[in-house]
Amino acid sequence: MNRREFVKVVGLGSLAVYLSGCGLTAIKTSGNDDGEVAAQESVSRGKNMKIVVINSSPHSEEQSTSRYLASRFVRGASDVGHEVFVFDAANEETHPCRGCDQCGMDGACIFDDAIEEKLMPQMLHADLLVLVTPLYYFGMSAQLKTVVDRFYSRTTRLGSKKSMIIATAWNSADWTMEALKVHYETLVRYMGWQDVGQVWAVGCGSRQMVESSEFGDLAYKIGAGL
Ligand SMILES: Cc1cc2nc3c(=O)[nH]c(=O)nc-3n(C[C@H](O)[C@H](O)[C@H](O)COP(=O)(O)O)c2cc1C
């Protein structure tokens, strides 16, 4: 699709960050407008969490808008002592679920790929899963969806975790992220996750746009405020 198709509804880069669950409480009850969070109010309750961040943009680290926000989040979380594992769904070897049911929804996948070997062990031990995606045709990227579908092999064991989403898009109309938001929230509900933050970075179609937006600082503060 021509990029202009997405440009036509771009207005002023409006702020679109939704925080929910403990994340919302943490930021809103902080003592100042800079998002400083008292330890006892945080999602982690002072414990060092294991965080798995799943990047899915095919753009490079230097070009990608979603990777930029993910890296700011990671910096924030690392600065306060959380342990972060980052998986690159766009560049690792991954395979989409074949629906063969060999896993029985609770066992090894037939694919011996990076999802099974590198990501799954990390996810099973993680406290917080962070889904990171560019908006592709109003949904998540195929690279991220490939990983999400592979949750099938450990659906129950991946339940009861905390979760978060970071998404970037070119458009900034108020409906830009609507479909992805519904999808994410449905996933949270089905998986039994506790959503701790949603960053909907609209009007962030290029690196320059995202770097000059407020979303980088917000991503950092969410990480540091966990
Ligand atoms: C295949 C494709 C589909 C896209 N679909 C949308 C879309 O539906 N809405 C939108 O606002 N931007 C869309 N975009 C723009 C990207 O979401 C946007 O440029 C984003 O910042 C890219 O993030 P990244 O650099 O991390 O990959 C699309 C881009 C591509 C390549």
Side-chain angles (χ1 to χ4, degrees):
M1 182 181 277
N2 188 327
R3 261 182 154 189
R4 284 189 193 150
E5 295 255 339
F6 297 125
V7 180
K8 67 186 178 189
V9 292
V10 172
L12 290 173
S14 62
L15 189 69
V17 173
Y18 307 100
L19 297 169
S20 53
C22 293
L24 178 66
T25 309
I27 300 291
K28 285 213 167 154
T29 57
S30 65
N32 63 41
D33 291 341
D34 293 335
E36 275 179 28
V37 179
Q40 68 272 20
E41 294 171 338
S42 73
V43 168
S44 63
R45 298 187 190 283
K47 173 188 165 232
N48 283 346
M49 292 198 297
K50 282 183 184 294
I51 301 173
V52 169
V53 173
I54 305 170
N55 275 325
S56 68
S57 169
H59 288 163
S60 70
E61 210 62 56
E62 294 71 35
Q63 289 180 317
S64 167
T65 60
S66 58
R67 286 174 189 270
Y68 170 74
L69 293 184
S71 71
R72 295 298 309 274
F73 167 82
V74 169
R75 173 65 66 87
S78 305
D79 279 354
V80 296
H82 299 299
E83 186 188 318
V84 186
F85 173 82
V86 180
F87 184 76
D88 186 348
N91 291 301
E92 290 281 6
E93 189 205 351
T94 65
H95 293 91
C97 176
R98 291 177 60 93
C100 66
D101 258 324
Q102 289 289 309
C103 63
M105 294 182 83
D106 188 26
C109 179
I110 56 161
F111 290 119
D112 198 13
D113 60 6
I115 297 177
E116 182 68 10
E117 294 297 316
K118 297 183 186 174
L119 178 60
M120 193 57 76
Q122 296 287 339
M123 287 201 299
L124 290 170
H125 290 105
D127 301 296
L128 168 62
L129 306 178
V130 184
L131 310 182
V132 185
T133 185
L135 188 71
Y136 277 5
Y137 290 93
F138 307 99
M140 64 178 68
S141 67
Q143 291 84 347
L144 180 59
K145 187 62 163 57
T146 298
V147 169
V148 169
D149 287 352
R150 294 278 297 277
F151 290 174
Y152 188 82
S153 70
R154 310 291 198 302
T155 299
T156 307
R157 290 164 64 192
L158 289 174
S160 308
K161 297 197 181 288
K162 295 173 177 51
S163 71
M164 189 177 148
I165 188 165
I166 298 173
T168 55
W170 191 287
N171 288 355
S172 57
D174 59 2
W175 48 268
T176 300
M177 297 289 195
E178 220 166 79
L180 180 56
K181 186 171 188 294
V182 169
H183 186 178
Y184 170 70
E185 289 176 348
T186 304
L187 188 61
V188 167
R189 183 175 179 174
Y190 172 73
M191 296 298 289
W193 289 342
Q194 179 197 352
D195 169 51
V196 300
Q198 304 174 18
V199 178
W200 303 115
V202 295
C204 289
S206 70
R207 188 60 176 239
Q208 193 192 8
M209 289 157 84
V210 73
E211 285 190 23
S212 59
S213 76
E214 311 92 329
F215 295 110
D217 283 349
L218 283 162
Y220 177 89
K221 282 175 183 166
I222 293 171
L226 286 171

